[in-house]
Amino acid sequence: MSQSQGAPASPTQSRNKKSLLVSDPPKFDLESYLANYKGRTRLERLILIGTCSSFLGVDALKLAVKEAKKGKDVKRYLEAQSHLETIGPQEREATRDRAWMDTTEKQNQAETQRLEAELKGYKNNLIKESIRMGNEDLGNHYQAIGDLPRAFDSFSRMRQDVSMSKHIIDISKHIIEVAIEQKNWVAVSSNVQKIKGVMGPPEEDPTLQPYLCATDGLALMDIGEYYNAALRFLETEAGMGTSSNTIVSPNDIAVYGGLCALATMERNELHTQVLENSNFRTYLELEPHIRRAITFFVNSRYSACLGILEAYRTDYWLDIHLQKHIDDLYHLVRSKSIVQYFIPFSCVTLDSLNAAFMPAGKTIDKELAMMIQRKDLEARIDTQNRLLTSVPSTPRSALQANTLETAKEYEREARRRIQQMNIVAADLEIKGGKRALAGIDDMFDDGRQLRSMKPQDQARNPHHIGGFQ
Amino acid sequence: MDNLLPNLLSFPPHPPPPNPMSDHAYDSGIRDQIDYVKKLSDSKLLQQTSGGENVLDVINPALNTVPYTFILLANLSALNKNAKGIDMEKIWGKSITFLGTFDPRQMRYLGDQLSSIIDAVASIAMSKRQPWAAIAPIRDALLRLDPTGSMLTTTHLALVKLALDTRTYSPIVPVIEKFILYFPGTSNQPKPKYICDMNLNPTQFITPASGLTQKFKYQEVLEYFLYSGMVFIGLNKWELALQCLENAVTYPAKEGSVSKIMAEAYKKWVLVGLLHEGRLLSLPRSTSSNAAKQYHTLAKPYETLAQIFESGTASRLKAEADQGVTVWRNDCNTGLVLHVLAAYQQFQIRNLANIYSKISIPEIVSQTMSAETGSKLQSPQAGEALVQGMINRGELHATMSSSPGHPSIVTFAVGGPVLTEADMQRVLGAATERIHTLTKEIKQTDRMLTHDKDYIKFIQKQKKNAKQGGLVDQGISGADMNMDWGDAVEDEDIMSNLY
């Protein structure tokens, strides 16, 4: 589902798309996982798990079909049902319930008409508050039946009739919710800013700050700004509870924040900003393995840290927001671990690196070469003695080389400036816009023919030896 | 002839007086002598001595350049008329010796005559079907006249054309490797008092009026830059070629005009940049923005090729090069493109030096591709030969060791060549020296600009304004130029003081 959004931005992602089917059992329990969420995101998550996990697929899709039938979204129902039909045709839920579909669709249409008529009435009466509420109802309805673009429009129209700052917050929250489902992250961040502009002191609504951090963090994570995303998640104040559960759960904050931080922050930063962060601690307690992974990293036990992350890779592949990024994030953590591992040494055998970072039987050579090429790692590989050696730093000769380069650059630039001034002084610069390119220089074309001519021809063509005649 | 000789040899006095002549005395002396010799008819100049010797054998061209010049010219014109008793080979030999030995101080007064002799030498060489033979003597003459080589003359251009025509590249390197700073035609300059003053800048004695050069058109200046770039390309001297082409690429242009020659130079510049640095170079800062825009549209295929060279694969590079065959051919750049293809694998190997410290030849072969064939090298031997060649040419700082029964191993030197402390001192010293010389040129240019008639008029006007109660311009900064002249001269916003 989420994979269909946009083209994959990197080769790793396209590979991910192909092997989207995850066969390993995840660590979470489906029922309790689902209990963390409310609203349409439940269905979306179930369908994602259903289509991506061969282990939970049937169970998830069965739940999804049931969930869908509780609601009014016929398209979503069809999506879940048709997937289930392909992977588990023997299930009772796999058969298409045409009767339910027909009645629901009819009801939906009737409801749409009713709400639109009501809204029209309000508009005729010019009662601002009623128009606003009419739009809100219509938006909610469109959202429920899965017509997201119209829901987005309806919610946006509410803005014309706001009368207090709480309304603005409400509108933005609605839009954020729809936009997240649409993966329209630009709208998410702009609405987060809008809320920030009008929100009052935190005592008014203690759940608002965590909500904003979470949504803004998601938007940043999605465009790949992991460091800023990490900062945003880490700022999240305690006490989110279930207030944002139509989008994310507190557990997700811990996972997203922890992983983004692990991928982008230095060891000191991890220590002060993550482990000693009293707000974030309440979230980390929900996901103790993330906390353990970070602690291992800070204590330089990289293979243990990577081991934990690897164990949870399946879970994160099945997360609606992480799926696209988990490979990138893991890759960053890995590269950082290798760099950190190598720092205290001047020379490491490739075998010890293999032992620390690679599963048995695989070698790290290619990865190291890539990292050196991208300048992530300042080292050289010796394929003959199977060593990774650090590059000795030579500040003196580096400075000297730098000086020479600067001198050369100055010389070149100065000479060219003198040259240009003198060209202008000799009245030789090219003038007149009209003749640009049109005035092809005859002499020059003569000169060009010369290149292809043989010397003996030129003897017969003394005309070409310009100045000497 | 014998009775003429004492008069002909009267200047400069021999042996030289204990106190060198003043510039004034020298100037009037040589002018008198030139007037005297000019009045003599050719037939008188062609007379032999009483001993039956040719006068050209008697007079030393290095000392008595003035009479020698006129006698040589008389001989040359006689040769043209096919007068008898004139041996072409002899005159040829004499002319060449003359061009290599004349006294540059005297020659400043004989511009027209020198140009005629140079033309004659070129045409004799042509009639001998050996046009290239004229190159070395003309080059020597140019360098004798102006050892700094920073002044462009029409002879320069003719010389480069001749070298390209005859494909004789290396002899003219000493001339074209000099960075051109000055151009004839600078008007509004005060005339020097005596052109025999040895401290003069070449701009002051090499002028169209002196006959040592003619006036230029901008196309010709651009041609000179492009052609000297092409000569360096022919010699595979990429860095110098880049410099010459860059002169054309950054040529100042007003009102958004661009010459086609500039665009041609840019195309070659892109390719040479690939050969020299392995990437698409960014345009020098002083390029005019309109020219840059035009380049990007006109040289699109070249830029695409460069981008693929930088980040694409060997097969794509080859495909692109094949695709553009007609483009390269029409621009006469096929040879350069072939060079680029050949260089691709070498740059890949050089990049390996940034990743590996030690690697075997078979690994190199499997990790790099040749853009000439679009595939990997056929055998480890071919790879070994390639790497060996690169090491020999100094393009790769590495050593190769082989042991029987095992593949050869290449060890890259980390951080490139390391200069010894003494070498470094010398290189730094040389750079300092060059910058000091450059500072002199900067002063010279500043002097020229401040002595420009228009500028002086402007200053006078300002002074007048200042007297009426305004600010005094403190712009003339010729005396105390500092190193950041660029700001000092250019930011001196002369307009701001206008009111």
Side-chain angles (χ1 to χ4, degrees):
Chain A
M1 174 65 201
S2 66
Q3 290 295 312
S4 65
Q5 298 286 335
S10 82
T12 41
Q13 282 176 26
S14 68
R15 207 179 321 128
N16 183 10
K17 197 177 175 185
K18 274 179 223 150
S19 62
L20 202 56
L21 206 59
V22 186
S23 53
D24 298 330
K27 291 199 180 328
F28 59 79
D29 173 62
L30 198 54
E31 298 280 348
S32 54
Y33 168 76
L34 213 55
N36 285 330
Y37 303 100
K38 235 175 70 189
R40 290 175 54 81
T41 189
R42 281 165 66 98
L43 188 50
E44 208 185 336
R45 283 166 194 269
L46 279 172
I47 293 177
L48 182 87
I49 296 172
T51 49
C52 294
S53 168
S54 58
F55 185 81
L56 285 176
V58 177
D59 290 343
L61 287 173
K62 272 162 71 179
L63 278 175
V65 170
K66 276 186 206 152
E67 181 82 23
K69 280 175 105 174
K70 277 187 236 159
K72 309 191 278 186
D73 190 343
V74 180
K75 264 186 278 171
R76 273 286 150 86
Y77 167 75
L78 266 178
E79 196 186 338
Q81 182 269 334
S82 57
H83 278 304
L84 187 58
E85 210 172 356
T86 26
I87 62 168
Q90 72 284 3
E91 300 293 334
R92 192 162 50 82
E93 288 87 348
T95 40
R96 196 168 290 184
D97 189 346
R98 292 202 179 276
W100 176 83
M101 278 167 64
D102 290 342
T103 41
T104 315
E105 251 173 54
K106 265 182 209 147
Q107 279 170 7
N108 285 348
Q109 267 177 14
E111 180 75 0
T112 310
Q113 278 163 9
R114 184 181 71 82
L115 287 170
E116 274 174 357
E118 264 180 23
L119 180 62
K120 220 172 186 177
Y122 297 144
K123 277 186 181 161
N124 288 338
N125 295 335
L126 291 173
I127 306 169
K128 271 181 157 288
E129 182 60 9
S130 306
I131 300 174
R132 194 184 67 82
M133 283 167 69
N135 271 321
E136 185 169 17
D137 290 343
L138 196 59
N140 280 333
H141 171 69
Y142 280 135
Q143 194 186 358
I145 65 171
D147 192 343
L148 298 177
R150 283 199 195 169
F152 193 93
D153 289 347
S154 296
F155 288 135
S156 304
R157 270 197 294 273
M158 289 166 68
R159 217 178 277 287
Q160 300 157 3
D161 306 293
V162 288
S163 48
M164 49 205 245
S165 61
K166 188 177 176 311
H167 292 161
I168 298 179
I169 297 177
D170 281 348
I171 295 167
S172 289
K173 274 182 147 185
H174 278 304
I175 293 181
I176 288 173
E177 203 172 304
V178 177
I180 286 180
E181 199 176 337
Q182 287 179 309
K183 312 266 180 243
N184 179 357
W185 298 108
V186 181
V188 174
S189 2
S190 73
N191 277 288
V192 167
Q193 292 309 322
K194 276 179 186 142
I195 298 184
K196 277 188 184 161
V198 295
M199 69 191 252
E203 300 84 55
E204 253 174 49
D205 184 359
T207 61
L208 194 58
Q209 196 272 351
Y211 175 85
L212 291 179
C213 285
T215 47
D216 205 18
L218 276 182
L220 285 168
M221 187 168 85
D222 198 82
I223 53 172
E225 292 207 12
Y226 299 130
Y227 182 73
N228 288 333
L231 289 181
R232 205 66 78 239
F233 287 126
L234 293 176
E235 276 168 14
T236 316
E237 277 171 24
M240 174 188 239
T242 56
S243 61
S244 307
N245 62 5
T246 51
I247 299 164
V248 287
S249 69
N251 300 53
D252 292 341
I253 299 294
V255 174
Y256 301 161
L259 287 180
C260 286
L262 201 50
T264 53
M265 288 182 175
E266 294 302 318
R267 273 164 55 189
N268 286 340
E269 232 178 339
L270 278 174
H271 193 69
T272 53
Q273 301 222 33
V274 184
L275 295 179
E276 290 179 352
N277 180 336
S278 59
N279 276 327
F280 197 66
R281 183 185 302 238
T282 55
Y283 295 103
L284 268 186
E285 275 161 8
L286 299 170
E287 298 283 333
H289 63 275
I290 293 282
R291 193 191 156 79
R292 278 213 317 279
I294 295 176
T295 317
F296 278 139
F297 189 92
V298 171
N299 294 333
S300 313
R301 296 181 55 195
Y302 306 112
S303 43
C305 165
L306 292 175
I308 293 177
L309 294 185
E310 212 47 55
Y312 282 86
R313 192 189 271 265
T314 319
D315 284 26
Y316 301 145
W317 255 333
L318 296 178
D319 183 276
I320 198 164
H321 296 301
L322 267 183
Q323 191 180 54
K324 234 166 75 181
H325 299 285
I326 196 65
D327 283 352
D328 281 355
L329 285 170
Y330 274 28
H331 179 78
L332 287 171
V333 179
R334 237 186 111 75
S335 308
K336 242 177 63 183
S337 307
I338 295 175
V339 172
Q340 295 279 346
Y341 181 94
F342 184 61
I343 283 177
F345 304 104
S346 69
C347 179
V348 176
T349 63
L350 291 182
D351 295 323
S352 67
L353 280 168
N354 278 337
F357 291 103
M358 298 303 279
K362 292 195 176 163
T363 57
I364 198 166
D365 302 24
K366 279 249 166 65
E367 191 176 350
L368 286 178
M370 294 282 286
M371 285 176 63
I372 297 173
Q373 197 161 26
R374 280 200 308 265
K375 305 231 187 301
D376 292 344
L377 188 62
E378 190 61 18
R380 298 284 181 270
I381 303 171
D382 176 349
T383 62
Q384 298 312 303
N385 306 314
R386 305 203 43 73
L387 291 174
L388 183 71
T389 48
S390 69
V391 179
S393 76
T394 49
R396 189 178 168 85
S397 67
L399 178 70
Q400 284 168 336
N402 200 357
T403 312
L404 281 181
E405 191 49 46
T406 315
K408 213 170 159 187
E409 184 57 36
Y410 170 81
E411 219 183 312
R412 203 163 29 214
E413 190 67 24
R415 281 198 302 204
R416 192 167 319 288
R417 299 271 165 162
I418 302 178
Q419 186 187 62
Q420 298 197 340
M421 275 185 226
N422 283 313
I423 289 176
V424 176
D427 203 21
L428 278 170
E429 85 264 58
I430 306 173
K431 287 174 220 157
K434 263 180 278 169
R435 287 188 41 206
L437 288 168
I440 294 169
D441 323 276
D442 297 338
M443 303 184 61
F444 171 64
D445 277 346
D446 271 9
R448 212 165 58 170
Q449 286 160 17
L450 287 175
R451 288 290 285 152
S452 50
M453 233 189 266
K454 304 230 164 51
Q456 55 264 37
D457 297 334
Q458 276 146 22
R460 268 182 269 123
N461 255 317
H463 160 72
H464 285 298
I465 312 298
F468 290 138
Q469 294 309 305
Chain B
M1 176 43 86
D2 287 354
N3 53 348
L4 287 175
L5 267 181
N7 277 333
L8 287 177
L9 302 183
S10 63
F11 186 89
H14 186 79
N19 297 322
M21 290 170 87
S22 69
D23 284 341
H24 174 74
Y26 193 99
D27 188 70
S28 61
I30 194 167
R31 283 183 195 280
D32 289 347
Q33 199 196 17
I34 291 173
D35 285 344
Y36 169 72
V37 184
K38 262 190 181 165
K39 283 191 194 118
L40 297 173
S41 67
D42 274 12
S43 55
K44 271 194 180 159
L45 288 173
L46 287 173
Q47 281 171 5
Q48 293 186 335
T49 56
S50 53
E53 287 168 300
N54 192 323
V55 194
L56 292 177
D57 292 327
V58 177
I59 301 178
N60 181 354
L63 273 179
N64 298 98
T65 308
V66 175
Y68 198 95
T69 308
F70 284 97
I71 296 172
L72 186 61
L73 272 175
N75 275 291
L76 286 167
S77 69
L79 181 67
N80 251 354
K81 289 176 202 141
N82 286 324
K84 56 180 171 103
I86 306 284
D87 176 11
M88 186 175 91
E89 284 304 322
K90 184 178 170 91
I91 300 295
W92 167 254
K94 287 290 169 197
S95 310
I96 288 179
T97 326
F98 171 74
L99 289 180
T101 49
F102 65 76
D103 174 12
R105 195 174 177 190
Q106 297 179 39
M107 197 46 84
R108 292 181 184 184
Y109 292 85
L110 300 167
D112 290 323
Q113 288 75 14
L114 179 66
S115 300
S116 318
I117 294 176
I118 287 177
D119 282 352
V121 164
S123 69
I124 295 179
M126 184 77 67
S127 64
K128 287 167 55 164
R129 300 267 162 141
Q130 293 174 337
W132 62 88
I135 291 178
I138 298 174
R139 169 202 68 195
D140 292 342
L142 282 177
L143 289 178
R144 281 190 78 72
L145 194 64
D146 171 22
T148 64
S150 56
M151 175 90 190
L152 186 66
T153 69
T154 31
T155 318
H156 277 79
L157 178 60
L159 185 64
V160 176
K161 282 187 181 172
L162 183 62
L164 274 182
D165 286 355
T166 58
R167 310 198 175 202
T168 318
Y169 300 143
S170 26
I172 65 158
V173 168
V175 169
I176 57 172
E177 75 181 356
K178 299 277 193 319
F179 196 95
I180 297 295
L181 294 175
Y182 305 107
F183 302 85
T186 312
S187 48
N188 295 337
Q189 287 298 311
K191 286 222 166 57
K193 219 165 173 186
Y194 306 113
I195 54 175
C196 56
D197 180 357
M198 290 313 272
N199 294 323
L200 281 186
N201 189 280
T203 43
Q204 288 169 295
F205 62 87
I206 303 181
T207 55
S210 75
L212 288 168
T213 178
Q214 286 151 22
K215 277 214 148 205
F216 266 101
K217 281 193 282 201
Y218 76 84
Q219 290 95 330
E220 292 170 320
V221 179
L222 283 170
E223 268 177 25
Y224 176 74
F225 290 145
L226 178 66
Y227 290 161
S228 38
M230 279 157 69
V231 169
F232 283 125
I233 290 173
L235 290 168
N236 290 8
K237 295 198 178 204
W238 309 128
E239 191 175 0
L240 288 164
L242 266 186
Q243 197 177 68
C244 292
L245 294 171
E246 236 166 65
N247 287 340
V249 168
T250 58
Y251 199 84
K254 252 190 203 166
E255 297 153 29
S257 22
V258 179
S259 165
K260 194 179 169 196
I261 306 177
M262 291 165 74
E264 292 301 315
Y266 178 74
K267 291 172 183 172
K268 292 191 196 299
W269 181 79
V270 168
L271 295 178
V272 176
L274 285 181
L275 288 167
H276 184 56
E277 300 220 1
R279 62 196 170 86
L280 179 58
L281 301 177
S282 47
L283 277 166
R285 260 177 298 168
S286 41
T287 320
S288 71
S289 62
N290 192 66
K293 241 184 271 163
Q294 298 274 15
Y295 293 155
H296 293 318
T297 39
L298 288 171
K300 190 87 208 132
Y302 292 87
E303 290 181 355
T304 318
L305 192 77
Q307 277 151 7
I308 296 176
F309 188 97
E310 228 175 289
S311 52
T313 62
S315 45
R316 268 190 68 202
L317 187 65
K318 183 172 161 35
E320 186 71 25
D322 291 345
Q323 184 74 31
V325 145
T326 46
V327 179
W328 321 137
R329 200 169 46 224
N330 290 342
D331 293 341
C332 296
N333 283 333
T334 312
L336 264 182
V337 171
L338 289 178
H339 265 297
V340 167
L341 290 184
Y344 179 73
Q345 188 162 26
Q346 302 183 10
F347 273 98
Q348 279 189 311
I349 293 176
R350 278 200 244 176
N351 283 340
L352 288 182
N354 295 331
I355 297 175
Y356 297 96
S357 58
K358 223 175 228 190
I359 191 167
S360 69
I361 288 286
E363 282 170 304
I364 290 184
V365 171
S366 72
Q367 291 203 18
T368 59
M369 298 251 274
S370 161
E372 288 168 292
T373 57
S375 56
K376 287 176 182 159
L377 288 180
Q378 296 296 325
S379 66
Q381 283 76 26
E384 201 170 321
L386 181 67
V387 173
Q388 186 74 57
M390 288 174 69
I391 296 175
N392 288 347
R393 286 192 299 273
E395 292 167 3
L396 190 66
H397 305 290
T399 52
M400 188 152 66
S401 57
S402 54
S403 48
H406 293 285
S408 300
I409 291 161
V410 179
T411 311
F412 297 112
V414 172
V418 179
L419 290 174
T420 63
E421 222 29 56
D423 280 342
M424 189 41 97
Q425 286 295 339
R426 214 176 45 242
V427 178
L428 284 173
T432 320
E433 183 61 32
R434 280 201 307 277
I435 288 182
H436 276 306
T437 332
L438 198 55
T439 314
K440 279 190 207 130
E441 306 287 355
I442 292 167
K443 277 186 189 157
Q444 166 65 21
T445 305
D446 187 65
R447 202 189 118 85
M448 277 168 61
L449 292 179
T450 41
H451 285 69
D452 189 279
K453 271 185 195 154
D454 291 337
Y455 181 69
I456 291 173
K457 260 186 224 156
F458 166 77
I459 292 293
Q460 279 173 337
K461 210 165 118 195
Q462 271 214 326
K463 284 249 170 75
K464 230 186 270 165
N465 286 342
K467 266 183 205 153
Q468 289 156 12
L471 288 167
V472 186
D473 180 65
Q474 294 165 347
I476 313 175
S477 54
D480 53 353
M481 276 306 292
N482 47 7
M483 294 296 272
D484 54 357
W485 59 282
D487 304 323
V489 174
E490 279 173 295
D491 293 355
E492 195 176 83
D493 190 356
I494 20 188
M495 300 310 282
S496 69
N497 287 331
L498 264 181
Y499 32 72

